Amino acid sequence: MTATSLDRPFTVVSLLPRLLNTNGDAGNARVLAQRVRWSGHDARVVDVHSRADLPEHVDAVSIGSGTDAALLPARDALRTLVEELRLWSNSGVPILAVGTGWELLSWGSELPDGSVLEGLGLVAGHAVPRAARATDDIIVASKYGRLIGFENHARDYVGAEASPLGRVLYGTGNADAPASGPQIEGLTMGEVFCTHLHGPVLARNPALADHLLQAAFSRHDLEYARGATAESVDDTARTARNQVAVRLGQNAE
């Protein structure tokens, strides 16, 4: 049996937005909540800076990116929430982690001085320094459509024992092009999605946002359908993506 509505607001948790919002990635939580409203359901964003801020119900989670100066305080804050993060990931709550937010969920990050900042160990792999920072547009072919964003990271990501988010058509992604095999970006593990794409990624790529919402709604035997307003907004996002793609030698969609 499929229900028609939650008996409470759909709740999106934005983790540590004061520390992890360097590239505007905390906006991903607002994108999810707004698309839920456009679909005809009530929704809210809860900023979580500590355990005391945790809401009773969590339907989706967004973790943004931050500076290296924020890595240690952000890691220590997330450690107090590790059991909740593990429960959410194991129970199918969609989690989006961008940039250093992703690194903090991993085994850890190697820093320029040779030290290692231990992560939470919730996703396989770790971050290692790059010779030069990757700062450019990035285009990724994925099962959620062609994803376009901006990458800005000083570390590659290695050892991910999970499916990639997609294949890099332009840009760097997890690492420079290998001698053999595809150049990949991000990782997915169940409904945990990790990526280098900023933008915020969900505003520029609403099909990915809708996948996360479909996963969240299905946990409550609900069907998610984007609203009429979302359709017109998505047309604008598609135009913006196509402008970037054509400028970088790709076909418009």
Side-chain angles (χ1 to χ4, degrees), residues 136-140 147-151 196-199 201 204-205 244:
D136 201 351
D137 294 299
I138 178 170
I139 303 177
V140 178
L147 306 177
I148 294 181
F150 184 81
E151 58 184 337
H196 291 106
L197 273 68
H198 305 289
V201 60
R204 301 182 75 176
N205 303 278
V244 174

Side-chain angles (χ1 to χ4, degrees), residues 89 92-96 144 188-193 211-212 215-216:
S89 63
V93 173
I95 299 174
L96 174 68
Y144 316 102
T188 64
M189 185 184 72
E191 297 303 333
V192 177
F193 291 77
H211 171 81
L212 298 178

Side-chain angles (χ1 to χ4, degrees), residues 102-177:
W102 165 18
E103 294 180 10
L104 291 169
L105 298 186
S106 76
W107 295 336
S109 301
E110 295 182 19
L111 303 180
D113 64 3
S115 63
V116 176
L117 181 81
E118 183 180 356
L120 273 63
L122 297 178
V123 296
H126 64 284
V128 298
R130 291 180 49 79
R133 176 178 288 272
T135 53
D136 201 351
D137 294 299
I138 178 170
I139 303 177
V140 178
S142 82
K143 64 187 293 186
Y144 316 102
R146 186 170 67 181
L147 306 177
I148 294 181
F150 184 81
E151 58 184 337
N152 177 18
H153 54 103
R155 286 179 286 275
D156 286 334
Y157 197 87
V158 299
E161 299 170 0
S163 299
L165 177 60
R167 177 174 55 86
V168 176
L169 301 177
Y170 180 94
T172 301
N174 292 3
D176 293 320

Side-chain angles (χ1 to χ4, degrees), residues 1-100:
M1 180 179 70
T2 300
T4 58
S5 180
L6 287 172
D7 58 1
R8 56 173 177 80
F10 184 95
T11 301
V12 184
V13 162
S14 178
L15 283 181
L16 310 183
R18 293 174 188 156
L19 292 173
L20 302 177
N21 190 26
T22 298
N23 296 282
D25 301 306
N28 286 313
R30 295 192 295 273
V31 171
L32 291 173
Q34 188 59 63
R35 295 184 75 82
V36 170
R37 297 184 193 106
W38 286 337
S39 75
H41 302 264
D42 192 13
R44 63 175 180 155
V45 174
V46 177
D47 292 345
V48 171
H49 307 287
S50 69
R51 290 185 59 84
D53 300 323
L54 282 173
E56 181 180 359
H57 301 284
V58 176
D59 298 302
V61 178
S62 171
I63 311 172
S65 188
T67 65
D68 276 8
L71 279 174
L72 182 58
R75 191 281 310 274
D76 289 347
L78 289 175
R79 271 183 170 172
T80 69
L81 302 168
V82 67
E83 292 307 319
E84 284 79 8
L85 282 161
R86 183 174 289 111
L87 175 63
W88 296 334
S89 63
N90 289 340
S91 60
V93 173
I95 299 174
L96 174 68
V98 179
T100 50

